[in-house]
Structure formats: C-alpha cells, structure tokens
C-alpha cells in the first residue's frame, strides 16, 4: 500500500505540472463500453440550438492552459459571464478566479464530470484537457489515460446529455507520410507521437459518435499558436514565441530549428475566433466534423527578418535540436483550409506583419524597439 500511495503522489505531481486538467486516482480507471451510457438506441436527439435557449451554457475542461482562459473571456463577452464555466484541477490565479465561474473538474472522474454537466445545465463543452507531446512521450501510459480514457468520458457524457462538443486537434495529428505542402483535410495521417495518435483517435471517435449516436461533434486542427500571454514551453513551434522575448530582453536569439523549416502558424485571437465561429455555424453548413484552419506559414528566417524590422540589431543564430527538427519535418508546411473557408466562412485577420507588430505591442517596448520606430 505505501508503494501505491507513493506512485499516486508522483503521478499527481506530474499531472499538475503539465497543466493537463485532470488527475489520476489510486482507484483503477473504469473501462467504458463502446456505446455511451443511457443513450437511446434510435439516437433521435440533437444539441440545444439558439432557437431553444437564449445562450448556451458552456463548460471548458483543462481551462488553465494556453487557450482556455482566453476562450472563456471571449465566450463571456458573447454569452454572459455566468454562462461560461472554466474548470481545471489546478488552482487558478486570482485574476482568473474572480473573472467568472471556476470549478474543479477531473475528466478521469466520470461521476464528477457528469454531475457538473447536470447541475449546471451545460449545453456546450470545450474539451481542452490533454497531456501534450513532450510530457506524453515521457509517460505514454499516463498520456493514454488522460488523452484517450478522458476523451471517452467526455464523449459519453456529451452524447448522453445532448451537448455540442468541441475537441481541438493539431498539426501533430499528421506524420511523415502525410502530404505536407499543402496538407488537405482528408489524407494519410500516421503520426509518431502518442499525442498525435490520441488526436487522430479523437477525430475518428468524434466522427463515429456523430454518425452512430447523433452527437454534435466539432473539431479544428490548430496550427502552431502564438500568444503573448503564455511563456514558451519548449515545444517544436515555441521558437516563434521565444524570439519576441529574447529580442526584447537580450537582443540575441538562438533558434533550435533550421532557418528554412516552414510550419503553419496562427495568432491566438484568430484561433479563438475560429473556434467560436465553427461552434456557432449551423449544423447543415458543416460538410465534415474536423477541419484544418490556417492563417500564415513561415520559416524561422522569415520571422526573424520581420522581427528585425522592429529590432534591427537582433542577432539570430541556429543550433538545431535533432528531436524537434525531426518532428517539424514530419508536420505540414502549409494547411489547406479551403473547406473551412467555404463551409462556414473562415477568414483570418493576422498575417506575419500584423502578428509581429501585435506581439511587440503586448510584450511592451524597450529602448531598442522605441529607437527602431
């Protein structure tokens, strides 16, 4: 028993440090059946629409990650502060806690998650809880539990309670055999990380639940997301955030990817806008359940040149990390998002020059930027 408790503490600590929005209990995780609990066999239900209620009642899982807080802010402006509940297993900062409803929610605790949905009359669920690529590769069984078992809990509850469910996917859902320039919505994927595999699993399970049970499942494949609010975490696309911090602090930046490594990127405001737009789109307008979205595609060299327009003396060097480079070389260079633009009118606002100007305006100006301007 002491060994079990020790393992439990170690796993809990790892989860809390990763920000995945869930925890592991010493009680074994229950295996779920193929079909959702208490779902009628004829699957004649559908999601609550705006004609049936004034505003959706929203739950965001894993809400303290890069996107959850920003999404909650956007949705509260649109639907009212008390209609959007942010949740996670970590304690929020004061500004997050006092900005609107926040509750503890563990996606691996089926009963607790179900109670939250029932007690708060939830109609929309944004499922952001996940163990990301680096932590996932270090602990595959844990990533499998969080990213796959947690997803199954969410799918079952969403189907049972007629929710409109959003689950994000990623450029990491593609692999080295995928077409890279451009990458269409439907093609060979075959990722080589547990994170990517779990995202492909989420895409397919969501589509299956839609056709089998009528679940209103919606998914976007995000490119690399750039935000001034979050610190770089060592991910493959994080160089595109790190360069701004280094340009301001030291005027020197060392990139861990080759200068000509092209990847699709997006400013966070475009990402959040696309997420709301696809959730508000009429069901009959959607020709598929998972869409690529894109805004821009650039290389480290192109980004550095644009940054140097604001900080001319920025010195850029390259020290290639073999692991990150291999991952980047297996990912799309450009996303084909023509279906999103055709079906529900997706249109991005930020290209590379706007992105760079916006990042510097948020991170603050120092003497170097002031002199450049």
């Amino acid at each position: 028993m002491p060994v079990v408790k020790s393992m439990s503490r170690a796993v809990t600590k790892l989860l809390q440090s990763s920000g995945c929005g869930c925890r592991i209990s010493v009680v074994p995780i229950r295996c779920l059946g193929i079909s959702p609990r208490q779902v009628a066999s004829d699957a004649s239900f559908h999601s609550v629409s705006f004609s049936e209620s004034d505003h959706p009642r929203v739950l965001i899982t894993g809400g303290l990650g890069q996107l959850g807080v920003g999404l909650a802010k956007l949705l509260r402006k649109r639907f009212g502060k008390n209609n959007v509940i942010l949740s996670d297993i970590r304690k929020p900062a004061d500004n997050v806690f006092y900005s609107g409803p926040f509750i503890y929610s563990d996606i691996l605790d089926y009963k607790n998650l179900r109670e939250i949905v029932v007690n708060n009359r939830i109609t929309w669920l944004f499922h952001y809880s996940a163990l990301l690529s680096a932590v996932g590769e270090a602990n595959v069984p844990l990533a499998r539990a969080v990213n796959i078992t947690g997803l199954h809990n969410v799918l079952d509850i969403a189907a049972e309670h007629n929710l409109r469910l959003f689950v994000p996917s990623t450029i990491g859902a593609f692999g080295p055999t995928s077409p890279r320039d451009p990458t269409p919505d439907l093609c060979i994927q075959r990722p080589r990380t547990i994170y990517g595999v779990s995202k492909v699993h989420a895409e397919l399970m969501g589509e299956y639940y839609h056709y089998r049970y009528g679940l209103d499942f919606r998914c976007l494949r995000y490119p690399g997301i750039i935000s001034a609010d979050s610190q770089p975490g060592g991910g493959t696309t994080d160089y595109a955030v790190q360069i701004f911090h280094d340009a301001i602090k030291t005027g020197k930046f060392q990139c861990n990817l080759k200068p000509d490594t092209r990847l699709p990127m997006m400013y966070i405001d475009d990402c959040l806008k696309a997420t709301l737009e696809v959730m508000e789109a009429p069901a009959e307008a959607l020709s598929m359940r998972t869409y690529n979205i894109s805004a821009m595609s650039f290389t480290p060299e192109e980004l550095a040149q644009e940054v140097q327009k604001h900080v001319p003396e920025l010195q850029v060097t390259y020290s290639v990390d073999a692991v990150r480079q291999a991952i980047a070389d297996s990912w799309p260079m450009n996303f084909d998002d023509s279906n999103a633009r055709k079906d529900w009118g997706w249109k991005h606002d930020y290209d590379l020059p706007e992105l760079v100007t916006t990042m510097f305006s948020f991170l603050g100006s120092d003497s170097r930027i002031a002199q450049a301007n």
Side-chain angles (χ1 to χ4, degrees), residues 62-114:
L64 296 183
Q66 181 187 21
L67 298 174
V69 174
L71 180 64
K73 183 177 180 181
L74 178 66
L75 296 178
R76 284 166 179 164
K77 284 183 179 178
R78 185 154 182 85
F79 303 130
K81 182 172 77 170
N82 292 327
N83 284 319
V84 180
I85 300 173
L86 200 61
S87 73
D88 209 301
I89 65 162
R90 293 180 292 151
K91 185 169 68 173
D94 286 349
N95 65 307
V96 174
F97 183 77
Y98 292 110
S99 64
F102 181 91
I103 59 175
Y104 173 91
S105 177
D106 175 6
I107 61 165
L108 293 178
D109 186 339
Y110 180 89
K111 182 175 182 293
N112 172 254
L113 187 60
R114 194 164 178 250

Side-chain angles (χ1 to χ4, degrees), residues 56-333:
R57 292 277 297 166
V58 179
L59 174 67
I60 303 172
T61 66
L64 296 183
Q66 181 187 21
L67 298 174
V69 174
L71 180 64
K73 183 177 180 181
L74 178 66
L75 296 178
R76 284 166 179 164
K77 284 183 179 178
R78 185 154 182 85
F79 303 130
K81 182 172 77 170
N82 292 327
N83 284 319
V84 180
I85 300 173
L86 200 61
S87 73
D88 209 301
I89 65 162
R90 293 180 292 151
K91 185 169 68 173
D94 286 349
N95 65 307
V96 174
F97 183 77
Y98 292 110
S99 64
F102 181 91
I103 59 175
Y104 173 91
S105 177
D106 175 6
I107 61 165
L108 293 178
D109 186 339
Y110 180 89
K111 182 175 182 293
N112 172 254
L113 187 60
R114 194 164 178 250
E115 286 174 351
I116 291 170
V117 168
V118 171
N119 291 343
N120 294 282
R121 302 176 65 245
I122 298 300
T123 57
W124 284 15
L125 198 159
F126 293 82
H127 178 54
Y128 279 107
S129 298
L131 221 64
L132 301 182
S133 55
V135 178
E137 289 305 298
N139 193 332
V140 172
L142 182 60
R144 191 171 61 232
V146 173
N147 295 9
I148 296 178
T149 302
L151 170 77
H152 292 177
N153 286 344
V154 168
L155 284 169
D156 283 354
I157 291 169
E160 178 184 352
H161 296 285
N162 310 341
L163 308 185
R164 183 172 295 184
L165 174 63
F166 178 84
V167 179
S169 190
T170 169
I171 55 174
F174 297 97
T177 55
S178 305
R180 300 185 63 218
D181 190 16
T183 302
D185 286 303
L186 300 176
C187 65
I188 293 172
Q189 292 183 249
R190 297 296 189 273
R192 291 184 177 175
T193 65
I194 186 61
Y195 177 63
V197 168
S198 69
K199 286 303 183 183
V200 174
H201 178 78
E203 294 175 13
L204 295 176
M205 287 296 290
E207 186 172 330
Y208 172 76
Y209 268 58
H210 171 69
Y211 289 111
R212 179 66 176 84
Y213 302 113
L215 174 65
D216 191 350
F217 172 85
R218 305 179 183 208
C219 177
L220 296 178
R221 293 193 188 106
Y222 291 154
I225 304 301
I226 301 173
S227 168
D229 294 330
S230 59
Q231 291 293 320
T236 304
T237 61
D238 279 354
Y239 83 87
V241 176
Q242 186 69 53
I243 189 173
F244 294 98
H245 293 274
D246 290 355
I248 290 174
K249 292 177 182 177
T250 68
K252 297 179 181 180
F253 171 65
Q254 185 177 84
C255 184
N256 51 36
L257 295 180
K258 295 177 181 178
D260 61 349
T261 304
R262 184 170 299 279
L263 292 169
M265 299 284 189
M266 178 177 285
Y267 184 59
I268 188 169
D269 285 9
D270 274 340
C271 175
L272 298 178
K273 184 183 78 164
T275 302
L276 176 57
E277 285 181 357
V278 77
M279 283 294 276
E280 289 189 312
E284 59 271 17
L286 304 179
S287 63
M288 55 187 65
R289 292 288 116 187
T290 299
Y291 289 90
N292 292 342
I293 54 166
S294 186
M296 65 193 90
S297 183
F298 55 74
T299 66
E301 186 174 38
E302 290 169 349
L303 176 59
Q305 290 171 355
E306 193 66 36
V307 170
Q308 285 168 337
K309 293 178 182 179
H310 296 257
V311 187
E313 67 274 26
L314 173 65
Q315 299 176 24
V316 180
T317 57
Y318 295 88
S319 178
V320 177
D321 181 299
V323 174
R324 290 188 179 93
Q325 187 66 49
I327 293 173
D329 288 342
S330 72
W331 283 357
M333 298 169 66

